[in-house]
Amino acid sequence: MEETKIYLVFTDTGTYLSKLINFFSKQSLNHVSLAFDIDLKDLYSFGRKQPRNPFSGGFVCEDITGHLLVNASCAVYSYTVSKEDYEKMLSYIEDFKQEQHKYRYNFLGLLGVLFNIDLQRERAFFCSQFVATVLRSTNSIQLSKPSCFITPSDLRNELDLQLIYQGILANYPYQENADDMMFHSQEAKPSLIFYISKLKQFVIR
């Protein structure tokens, strides 16, 4: 069976909401997004539609070079899936993209996770609920809880993920525009893996 990879990106943006979630969950990196290529060019999740407005949430295609994410702490994992499941998930994402204006962020669902109450709402998701729902659209990826109770930590612990990068997103080495990301980051310093990746590019040329 032909296989390929998808990518799960766990981040801590330092916003008030992320700090609140970190406090109650006793975990870090409590925002998760899903990508289908290693460059993370198209990164999907549920979060802020407007970076400066925490109450405007829904389905988003995130930009790792943008203000909200470029300086975020992160852990990027790859996950091996069949080519058939890869295509199913892409198709499922396309439905979200076509009707993204109809989706909302499931703020009440976060309380449901905290108090173990099923607060599923039609066309409303929080980030890990969304990722779990996309994974389950394949009918072959199993998780131990309903999607409305899945946390980013659950995804890290239950899936056979392979860590490919941990650090600041501005230093992520698999971007064609990695130099631009470094330029726009005021806080991040280049990691060893960043310099190694640039050296490899030089040697190949």
Side-chain angles (χ1 to χ4, degrees):
M1 179 182 296
E2 187 178 358
E3 293 182 331
T4 187
K5 294 181 184 298
I6 60 174
Y7 301 88
L8 277 71
V9 182
F10 299 87
T11 53
D12 187 340
T13 59
T15 63
Y16 289 118
L17 180 59
S18 67
K19 290 177 181 178
L20 187 64
I21 295 172
N22 290 352
F23 175 79
F24 283 108
S25 68
K26 310 302 181 187
Q27 301 279 342
S28 60
L29 303 179
N30 275 305
H31 180 68
V32 59
S33 312
L34 183 64
F36 293 86
D37 293 289
I38 196 170
D39 62 5
L40 310 182
K41 182 178 180 181
D42 295 316
L43 188 65
Y44 304 106
S45 189
F46 267 67
R48 296 188 185 192
K49 288 190 172 183
Q50 301 174 19
R52 300 187 184 279
N53 184 354
F55 301 105
S56 175
F59 174 78
V60 289
C61 184
E62 297 173 321
D63 178 5
I64 66 172
T65 69
H67 172 76
L68 194 63
L69 288 179
V70 68
N71 287 314
S73 300
C74 76
V76 182
Y77 294 83
S78 66
Y79 181 56
T80 302
V81 298
S82 70
K83 189 67 175 178
E84 180 181 0
D85 284 347
Y86 181 91
E87 295 297 336
K88 284 181 181 179
M89 285 185 277
L90 273 179
S91 177
Y92 197 71
I93 290 286
E94 192 61 33
D95 292 338
F96 278 90
K97 291 168 68 175
Q98 292 297 324
E99 299 190 329
Q100 58 185 284
H101 61 285
K102 296 182 180 180
Y103 289 96
R104 297 162 294 162
Y105 190 87
N106 190 8
F107 288 104
L108 285 178
L110 296 178
L111 295 177
V113 174
L114 182 61
F115 296 107
N116 199 34
I117 301 173
D118 187 345
L119 293 178
Q120 295 189 67
R121 300 165 61 209
E122 186 177 2
R123 295 182 180 273
F125 297 84
F126 50 85
C127 62
S128 53
Q129 180 184 16
F130 163 72
V131 171
T133 301
V134 174
L135 295 175
R136 281 194 160 118
S137 71
T138 65
N139 296 318
S140 60
I141 298 175
Q142 304 298 320
L143 295 167
S144 65
K145 305 175 185 177
S147 296
C148 63
F149 293 131
I150 291 290
T151 67
S153 179
D154 292 327
L155 294 172
R156 289 197 295 270
N157 293 332
E158 294 188 26
L159 299 174
D160 186 19
L161 301 177
Q162 301 298 315
L163 181 66
I164 63 171
Y165 174 74
Q166 187 165 9
I168 303 298
L169 263 178
N171 295 347
Y172 184 66
Y174 301 104
Q175 274 277 337
E176 290 185 2
N177 62 337
D179 291 330
D180 292 337
M181 291 177 67
M182 288 297 303
F183 178 78
H184 287 104
S185 171
Q186 296 180 349
E187 299 176 8
K189 295 181 180 180
S191 65
L192 178 60
I193 194 170
F194 174 82
Y195 286 120
I196 292 174
S197 69
K198 302 308 288 184
L199 179 60
K200 285 181 178 179
Q201 292 177 16
F202 178 78
V203 172
I204 291 173
R205 290 174 184 171

